[in-house]
Amino acid sequence: MSEINRAVKGTNDCLPDESHKWQFVEKQMLETAKLYGFNEIRVPVFEHTEVFLRSVGDTTDVVQKEMYTFDDKGGRSITLRPELTAGTIRSVIENGLVNGALPLKVCYIGGCYRYEKPQAGRLREFHQFGVECIGAAEPNADAEVIALARQVLSSIGIDKISLEINSIGCSECRKEYHKALKEYFSSNIDDLCNTCKDRLDRNPMRILDCKSPVCREIAAKAPVVLDYLCDDCRSHFEKVKEYLTAMGIAFSVNPHIVRGLDYYTRTVFEFVSGDIGAQSTVCGGGRYDGLISQMGGPQTASLGFAMGIERLMLVLKNQQKELPKAANADLYIATMGDNAKVKAMELSAILRGDGFIVETDICGRGLKAQMKYAGKSGAKFSMVLGDNEIQNDEANIKNMLSGEETTLKLSNISNQLFDVINSSALDALAEAIINN
Ligand code: ATP
Ligand code: MG
């Protein structure tokens, strides 16, 4: 196959036989977020490049290596969003929402674009669900946001996953910490990768998040930020832990988590799965008390998280979790002859208006081929319409699983179909209970 007939490297199609899984997962996300008062925000897929430079940070992997940046025809530098927090905060400031009722709680689902080396769990187009809780400085806000992430995961069937938390302090505690890091890494400077050599002066904490194996090994023995927290940051972190414990949320403190984006302060956290190989972080988040003022808004303490939906799907697959099945047709109406075709269109219109999923032949197939399609497509019931059925105002519908037939009056089809579907669902339920 020639290159232009293939999806671009690092991108995936979501085909019709798997989209229902995504729909289910996304529905759970939005509904769970609603339980905590979060409503959806939709922001553009691209922004002025500056939006990401100012928020994500110019010493991060994302900005240094991964952004899809181009000049548009008007000569503006545009970037496809590598994440959604930056655009969300830009929008919240631009639309004056930071000056309205706080906390402002928003959530989002959308595509993100990063020029990365494609591998399992690492794509160039991927999707995130995330939340931002804007204008809440108290540590119970941190616990609430973490609890929401936890509940989203369990609502889609993921309970086997661990939560790791850390505090990376505020700009005050970082001063001392940066000094200690610089000292430590300076003594290892020859072994650091070139990117990290450059980071040493500008932002030594970024070295802790480097993916190169040698830098990782050196970083593992670096001073940890928890030892440098000021009193306020330390007590904030203690409270977060107390609230999480009160909510029955298990966690472990991992002093090595710093997160890959520059805007975090104080609490940072990750949900990590042991079931999907090297790309094991399914959800990352934390507090970003300085971001909104850094982006031109008023000082507003805030926090949020983002989860990678493709990685979640991998966890579900590898943990062999069953997701709800796609909805197939309730009724397939097969037709014999022109009158039946007209009648089928009439009945389909009535039934679909009442919320049934109905299909009929639109390919001009013979009866046998129509029935074959009905079977293959997984229709629950089928009906054959011909001149006799129309004349008698009666037709048999057949349960495609059990083969059982029931006669329905065509002039009152909706009510009867509703009864038949319900009673067959009850039968199936009873059978499942007996078999269990
Ligand atoms: P990683 O350390 O794996 O590169 P990150 O720190 O860059 O992750 P974030 O920017 O915090 O990740 O994004 C939040 C979540 O989005 C990640 O935990 C992950 O689930 C998902 N994610 C990030 N990059 C990708 C990618 N290239 N492909 C698929 N999912 C991704
Ligand atoms: Mg990354």
Side-chain angles (χ1 to χ4, degrees):
M1 216 187 282
S2 84
E3 173 109 301
I4 56 161
N5 291 329
R6 282 201 211 115
V8 175
K9 196 171 162 184
T11 67
N12 276 342
D13 299 309
C14 178
L15 298 176
D17 66 353
E18 55 192 354
S19 55
H20 67 281
K21 295 183 191 164
W22 281 72
Q23 288 167 1
F24 166 76
V25 165
E26 290 176 1
K27 186 165 160 266
Q28 295 302 107
M29 291 170 162
L30 295 176
E31 283 182 2
T32 308
K34 219 171 255 168
L35 300 178
Y36 292 73
F38 286 75
N39 285 317
E40 191 186 6
I41 185 168
R42 299 188 185 191
V43 294
V45 166
F46 53 84
E47 298 275 349
H48 293 290
T49 301
E50 192 62 25
V51 169
F52 303 110
L53 297 185
R54 271 202 288 167
S55 55
V56 173
D58 58 2
T59 55
T60 59
D61 272 355
V62 170
V63 167
Q64 288 190 328
K65 308 179 191 162
E66 298 170 1
M67 294 207 304
Y68 278 93
T69 298
F70 57 95
D71 285 345
D72 73 4
K73 289 190 179 13
R76 301 169 196 90
S77 179
I78 297 293
T79 294
L80 299 186
R81 61 185 183 202
E83 51 105 63
L84 278 97
T85 299
T88 300
I89 299 304
R90 191 268 311 138
S91 168
V92 160
I93 297 172
E94 181 178 345
N95 292 293
L97 306 185
V98 266
N99 306 315
L102 297 180
L104 172 69
K105 300 179 190 174
V106 294
C107 62
Y108 55 75
I109 295 180
C112 300
Y113 304 85
R114 297 186 190 179
Y115 194 76
E116 300 206 67
K117 194 168 161 226
Q119 53 200 286
R122 200 174 283 292
L123 294 156
R124 290 183 175 170
E125 181 189 58
F126 62 99
H127 297 79
Q128 286 186 340
F129 161 73
V131 313
E132 314 297 349
C133 177
I134 294 162
E138 290 299 305
N140 57 356
D142 307 39
E144 218 173 77
V145 164
I146 293 173
L148 164 52
R150 185 83 207 71
Q151 192 168 344
V152 164
L153 294 169
S154 38
S155 78
I156 58 175
I158 300 179
D159 288 309
K160 221 177 94 227
I161 193 158
S162 47
L163 165 63
E164 300 183 355
I165 64 170
N166 190 22
S167 173
I168 57 172
C170 61
S171 49
E172 274 312 301
C173 7
R174 295 244 192 105
K175 281 184 193 151
E176 279 307 302
Y177 183 53
H178 278 191
K179 252 193 239 162
L181 278 182
K182 271 187 193 166
E183 212 164 283
Y184 171 77
F185 285 121
S186 298
S187 59
N188 293 287
I189 188 154
D190 294 338
D191 298 326
L192 294 176
C193 74
N194 286 336
T195 319
C196 283
K197 281 186 181 127
D198 174 50
R199 287 166 169 159
L200 183 56
D201 264 337
R202 298 172 61 199
N203 191 350
M205 261 176 83
R206 284 271 64 83
I207 303 175
L208 301 174
D209 203 44
C210 182
K211 301 267 178 339
S212 123
V214 179
C215 295
R216 275 197 169 183
E217 208 181 303
I218 300 171
K221 296 190 200 109
V224 296
V225 61
L226 280 179
D227 294 336
Y228 291 82
L229 295 187
C230 66
D231 288 346
D232 282 353
C233 288
R234 184 179 310 282
S235 98
H236 184 98
F237 192 47
E238 289 307 315
K239 283 274 179 216
V240 172
K241 291 192 278 184
E242 187 184 337
Y243 291 128
L244 287 176
T245 306
M247 294 173 103
I249 296 173
F251 61 86
S252 57
V253 174
N254 177 350
H256 296 287
I257 298 180
V258 292
R259 306 291 312 127
L261 313 174
D262 259 0
Y263 47 62
Y264 288 114
T265 50
R266 292 193 165 172
T267 316
V268 288
F269 61 93
E270 293 186 351
F271 282 89
V272 184
S273 167
D275 291 304
I276 52 172
Q279 269 50 255
S280 56
T281 304
V282 164
C283 171
R287 194 165 260 294
Y288 49 84
D289 291 345
L291 179 61
I292 294 185
S293 54
Q294 198 176 306
M295 290 184 73
Q299 167 57 39
T300 315
S302 305
L303 73 159
F305 67 74
M307 35 180 96
I309 305 182
E310 282 82 0
R311 287 191 197 172
L312 281 181
M313 291 301 189
L314 270 182
V315 176
L316 288 170
K317 188 167 160 230
N318 293 354
Q319 292 188 355
Q320 289 166 355
K321 295 281 177 195
E322 287 267 342
L323 291 181
K325 301 256 181 303
N328 295 328
D330 295 309
L331 179 65
Y332 182 86
I333 307 178
T335 53
M336 289 188 301
D338 287 344
N339 291 338
K341 262 194 188 142
V342 175
K343 190 72 182 171
M345 295 306 272
E346 177 195 326
L347 295 176
S348 302
I350 293 170
L351 288 167
R352 288 170 183 153
D354 287 336
F356 293 101
I357 308 175
V358 179
E359 287 195 76
T360 186
D361 175 53
I362 49 173
C363 297
R365 292 188 174 122
L367 185 59
K368 204 168 149 198
Q370 290 183 50
M371 292 315 290
K372 197 167 157 196
Y373 172 83
K376 250 199 206 160
S377 69
K380 294 180 194 125
F381 290 87
S382 67
M383 162 193 275
V384 180
L385 273 189
D387 288 338
N388 280 345
E389 282 78 12
I390 297 171
Q391 216 156 43
N392 300 334
D393 188 39
E394 266 183 9
N396 284 349
I397 64 165
K398 180 167 143 189
N399 181 323
M400 298 291 280
L401 271 185
S402 66
E404 196 181 327
E405 300 210 9
T406 317
T407 308
L408 301 188
K409 274 239 157 308
L410 298 183
S411 50
N412 179 27
I413 191 162
S414 266
N415 287 337
Q416 298 165 80
L417 185 60
F418 183 79
D419 290 342
V420 174
I421 288 178
N422 265 350
S423 78
S424 91
L426 280 178
D427 287 349
L429 190 64
E431 200 165 313
I433 291 171
I434 292 165
N435 289 341
N436 257 328

